[in-house]
Amino acid sequence: AGIFALIVVPVWVWSLTGGPAPRGVLGGTAWHAHEMIFGFTVAVISGFLLTAVENWTGQPTLRGPALLGVAGVWAAARMALWWPGWI
């Protein structure tokens, strides 16, 4: 979530100050709202749950390829908004 914020916030500010607007299926404001909910917030909640599950249940959390798969799906969804038709 932190890395995502470091990348997306400057892109959003650049878009607001005259840079190119996000060219995906959503307009600038709708894209921002969508990314705040599904990009940043979901990443924070998922990160919390993936670290807390082991403490709460005693079950091991995702590691290795499974964790990479979850992160890959999240990243692919973020990229799909920028390049519709890519996925």
Side-chain angles (χ1 to χ4, degrees), residues 4-45:
F4 179 68
L6 288 173
I7 294 168
V8 172
V9 169
V11 170
W12 176 244
V13 170
W14 183 37
S15 175
L16 288 177
T17 59
R23 60 179 180 182
V25 295
L26 300 175
T29 303
W31 170 80
H32 177 68
H34 183 273
E35 289 305 301
M36 287 302 296
I37 296 168
F38 296 106
F40 185 71
T41 305
V42 170
V44 170
I45 292 169

